[in-house]
Amino acid sequence: MDHASHGHHITPKSLLIKVFGSLILLTILTVAVSRVHLGALNVPVAIAIAVVKMMLVVTVFMAVKWDNKVNALVIGLSALFVSIFLIFTLFDTAYRGDLSNVDRVPISDQQRQQSAEMAPADAGAAASEMPASGH
Amino acid sequence: MSETVAVPASIDTSVPKNYLNHDKSIKSWLLTLDHKRIALLYLVTISIVFLVAGVLALLVRAELFTAGETLMKPDTYNQFFSLHGILMVFLFIVPSVPAIMGNFVMPMQLGAIDVAFPRLNLASYYIYLIGGVLVVTAILAGNIDTGWTFYTPYSARLGSSVIFMTLAVFIAGFSSILTGLNFIVTIHKMRAPGLTWNRLPLFVWSIYATSIVQVLATPVIGITMLLLLLEKTLQIGIFDPALGGDPILFQHFFWFYSHPAVYIMILPAFGIISDLMGVFSRHEVQGYKFVALSSVAIAFLGFLVWGHHMFVSGQSAISSIVFSLITYLIGIPTGVKVLNWVGTMYRGSVSFKTPMLYALSFLFLFTIGGLTGVALGVLGLDIHLHDTYFVVAHFHYVMMGGTVIAAIGGLHYWWPKITGKMYNETMGSIAAVLIFIGFNVTFFTQFVLGTKGMPRRYYDYQIQYEALHQISTVGSWILASGLFLVLFTFIHSLMKGKKAGSNPWGAATLEWTHTASPPSPHNFDEQPIVTHGPYDYHALARVSGDGAAQTSEPELSESRH
Amino acid sequence: MDQQFDASKMGMWIFLVTEVLLFSGMFVAYTVYRVWHPETFDLLSGALDWRLGGFNTLVLLGSSFTVAMSIHSIQKSDKKATVMYLVITLICAAAFMVVKYIEYTTKFEHGVFPGAHFAPHGEHYAPFDVPYAPQFFSIYFVMTGIHGVHVLVGMGVIAWIAIRTAKGHFDSQYYTPIELTGLYWHLVDIIWIFLFPLLYLI
């Protein structure tokens, strides 16, 4: 009966409700997990939960599960190219300065450090900004 | 006025209604949903851009005729080469082949009456036009001298004209995205019965690959230009090092689009050349599947090499190495194409009509452009050649020697279909030869200049470079005269050209075999049914020899060898 | 008809790909700066109120659900239910934008601007004046800003679709515009599914 009209798939109401419920639960879960200190694990866990939520929306709400496979391929492609963009950019930014003649520290940071080193010398106003360097 | 011009009655009655004459009002042109008319709107607009940007190039070359000031001040020179680059890349070469020939030919090659979304197609044209208007605004606002690359932090600190220019690029990109989207859906959903993926003309395959790149890469230039805009207006500090941003990140963003964009420019040219090679060698294009799939492979690999524009930017060594290695890989699918084209000519019997002359020029020039590209992908060599005339020569060999030459060849090839008239073959050939000579004189010299260390974009130079610069400038005049001769040939053809038959080249693709020249408003009188491959001239001869219409003949192309 | 529906749907999916790639630029910028300055980003996620962000997540998920329900209803030619679900979607979207407005104005009042004009004050925001905080907030404003624009556009389209449904333009035989709008709206939701943890939680 759900498949009645037009030859198009009609996603059952009960399934939509179940998915909606899971999405709510996962949202609560991701907030809860972020309150717990997991160190390096916090980020991957948060992203993993987001990916699961995305899959639920894509497969059921967007009905890719019952759709033409070409559309699923199209989605896969976009994910692939986003990863390429991200990973290949990180090849640079995460390893910036691995050539010894390029400083790893950006110029703006070097300037900040320099002014921080100069700060204790002229005392007064600068010292109040930098309590850590006090007496 | 059109009422008063006397039209010979004989023509009016004997000429059947075609897409050009079925409705002549201006409104019917400006609001047309016909892919053929939209293609012509693009043809006119894009030709104007090419003319303007070409004249800018001539002026830049003229300035370089002597060391020191020749014609213009340094600031003017900087603006001229920047505008030349911006116009040529974003408003000319990226839309050129897909928007003109893709629009005109591709739906007919599919046996479709139009693209999948005709309204969207018209919208793309107007979005492109808005981009063009913004470019003019930016030019009037003045002092764009960033080059076409808009590198930060300089671009983020320049005057407000950069805002218009980045908006223009953003909006022109939108047009490109919508065209690509339209074409992908068209190729998937609108093919005639019997037109399997293995029977698609190679031009369609290349437009397909191009469209995928357009859809995937162009949004990134959108966000890049948006961020540049915000950097300029709100100082968001993503790209400007003074605010803690990273200018190299801008280059990553920019080239993630702009390198694949190189393949947006060249892939359609490959498609044209494949079709020309088949038709004018009268032989099935050798290695059809490899040629088709190598377009897709190039499209994919094109996304993995953008960092080779940044070898000396200060990016990490590891990324330079990765990008360099993958850059070499692109030589493989490209080589597959070149070898198969040569093989097609070797096995076929070549007729040296004007389009074929352009195809041969392409083969020669593109091979040089491609091989020097691989050379530039070598890390150590690039340190020496980076930002020299060698690079300028390389990409002109690919863009101009590749894409533009192929586009002009394709325009000659489809001209009889577009206008219903033949052009003068002698004039066409002379122009092709002039362009070939002029191009090489202009740009081969620049390879030499580059290896000698002449930096690109410089206004002034040391006296020892002067002789080579002068040769290059003289070459640009030969090149320009060739291009103007092309324009003249076409105008001459419009006024005095002989009437073209529906298939003057004896081609086997649907736009020649099943439509009149020029085609009727809906392309086909009845839905064509495809029974043979796109380059199966034997099947074609059989069909026309029998005088029979397309019937359910058995597939013969497989059994022939 | 079915051919046309198929073509439109494929066109929509390809359009969504371009949207994903558009946002990908921002996600790359986020990742690059996070990798460079992890401690800053760790600290600054605390500057955003996860309760407001969480509320907005729930609201958007709810709107996604109601859009799915509106398609479910029109497939059964239940126009009344379709309009109702679309209106609920609109209300959810409006609630999302109201919360967004509150978040933005509170930040502006405390000198939390994107980029160079970043000068936080007030007891909540003052501690976040650390190096590269402007970058975090620039990314926050640009990402949520572009997303917000998408929500506004979506609201316009959904309102239009709701009116057309009420006028009886759609039924189980023809509902392509509702289906396409739904796809778009789900994408807007998916983007937020990622923005919420990345900006507010970690």
Side-chain angles (χ1 to χ4, degrees), chain A residues 16-90:
Chain A
L16 292 176
I17 293 173
K18 269 184 219 156
V19 168
F20 179 50
S22 323
L23 288 169
I24 301 280
L25 287 178
L26 284 167
T27 306
I28 296 169
L29 180 69
T30 190
V31 173
V33 171
S34 74
R35 304 291 100 188
V36 184
H37 189 73
L38 298 173
L41 276 178
N42 273 112
V43 178
V45 166
I47 292 173
I49 295 175
V51 168
V52 172
K53 287 166 79 177
M54 175 188 73
M55 296 301 283
L56 282 173
V57 174
V58 170
T59 48
V60 179
F61 280 1
M62 298 171 101
V64 166
K65 194 175 167 192
W66 305 278
D67 203 349
N68 192 334
K69 289 291 163 273
V70 174
N71 294 338
L73 185 73
V74 168
I75 306 159
L77 268 183
S78 68
L80 174 68
F81 283 88
V82 171
S83 337
I84 289 174
F85 189 13
L86 188 62
I87 292 168
F88 278 67
T89 305
L90 285 175

Side-chain angles (χ1 to χ4, degrees), chain B residues 17-74:
Chain B
K17 288 288 177 198
N18 63 44
Y19 81 103
L20 291 168
N21 65 12
H22 72 102
D23 184 350
K24 288 185 169 173
S25 67
I26 296 201
K27 192 179 153 209
S28 77
W29 275 94
L30 293 182
L31 296 178
T32 181
L33 299 179
D34 181 352
H35 67 103
K36 300 182 290 299
R37 286 190 164 201
I38 293 173
L40 290 195
L41 292 178
Y42 272 117
L43 175 63
V44 171
T45 322
I46 289 176
S47 301
I48 293 170
V49 174
F50 184 54
L51 180 70
V52 172
V55 168
L56 284 169
L58 285 174
L59 290 170
V60 164
R61 272 315 324 158
E63 166 55 41
L64 292 165
F65 194 71
T66 58
E69 186 178 324
T70 312
L71 273 183
M72 58 187 91
K73 298 282 177 212

Side-chain angles (χ1 to χ4, degrees), chain C residues 72-202:
Chain C
H72 175 90
S73 308
I74 198 68
Q75 284 174 323
K76 295 183 165 174
S77 283
D78 186 348
K79 291 169 202 173
K80 224 171 142 190
T82 309
V83 175
M84 180 193 76
Y85 282 120
L86 287 174
V87 170
I88 299 176
T89 310
L90 265 183
I91 295 170
C92 288
F96 178 90
M97 287 314 289
V98 168
V99 171
K100 209 72 240 160
Y101 176 79
I102 295 169
E103 285 187 274
Y104 270 33
T105 45
T106 325
K107 289 188 182 60
F108 292 156
E109 278 162 17
H110 293 87
V112 179
F113 292 105
H117 309 289
F118 182 73
H121 50 80
E123 79 178 299
H124 178 67
Y125 289 106
F128 296 112
D129 193 3
V130 296
Y132 299 104
Q135 269 72 28
F136 176 86
F137 281 107
S138 292
I139 289 169
Y140 164 81
F141 278 117
V142 176
M143 278 180 141
T144 55
I146 298 177
H147 180 261
V149 170
H150 278 82
V151 173
L152 287 176
V153 170
M155 286 172 71
V157 177
I158 290 169
W160 176 61
I161 292 295
I163 292 169
R164 285 190 63 185
T165 314
K167 283 184 179 167
H169 291 187
F170 308 121
D171 56 28
S172 65
Q173 293 307 304
Y174 173 69
Y175 56 91
T176 311
I178 305 183
E179 172 117 31
L180 300 189
T181 311
L183 289 178
Y184 170 84
W185 192 253
H186 292 310
L187 182 87
V188 172
D189 185 32
I190 288 173
I191 301 288
W192 186 260
I193 284 177
F194 282 91
L195 289 185
F196 172 57
L198 291 180
L199 292 169
Y200 289 79
L201 296 181
I202 54 175

Side-chain angles (χ1 to χ4, degrees), chain B residues 71 85 117 148 156 168 225 307 311 339 370 405 409 433 547:
Chain B
L71 273 183
F117 310 113
W148 75 280
M225 288 297 139
F311 285 158
L339 278 175
I405 297 256
V433 173

Side-chain angles (χ1 to χ4, degrees), chain B residues 316-384:
Chain B
S316 77
I318 178 88
S319 64
S320 288
I321 291 166
V322 170
F323 282 126
S324 172
L325 284 175
I326 302 175
T327 301
Y328 301 155
L329 290 183
I330 291 202
I332 297 171
T334 318
V336 165
K337 279 184 188 294
V338 171
L339 278 175
N340 280 307
W341 290 328
V342 174
T344 307
M345 286 193 290
Y346 177 75
R347 289 186 174 182
S349 61
V350 180
S351 62
F352 293 96
K353 292 283 200 297
T354 308
M356 191 59 176
L357 292 182
Y358 282 104
L360 292 171
S361 297
F362 170 94
L363 207 55
F364 184 80
L365 301 175
F366 176 76
T367 305
I368 294 179
L371 287 177
T372 50
V374 178
L376 283 168
V378 180
L379 281 172
L381 193 58
D382 187 71
I383 304 288
H384 176 64

Side-chain angles (χ1 to χ4, degrees), chain B residues 287-308:
Chain B
Y288 170 88
K289 273 185 191 168
F290 289 97
V291 177
L293 292 177
S294 63
S295 288
V296 180
I298 291 170
F300 177 70
L301 284 175
F303 277 92
L304 307 177
V305 297
W306 78 81
H308 69 214

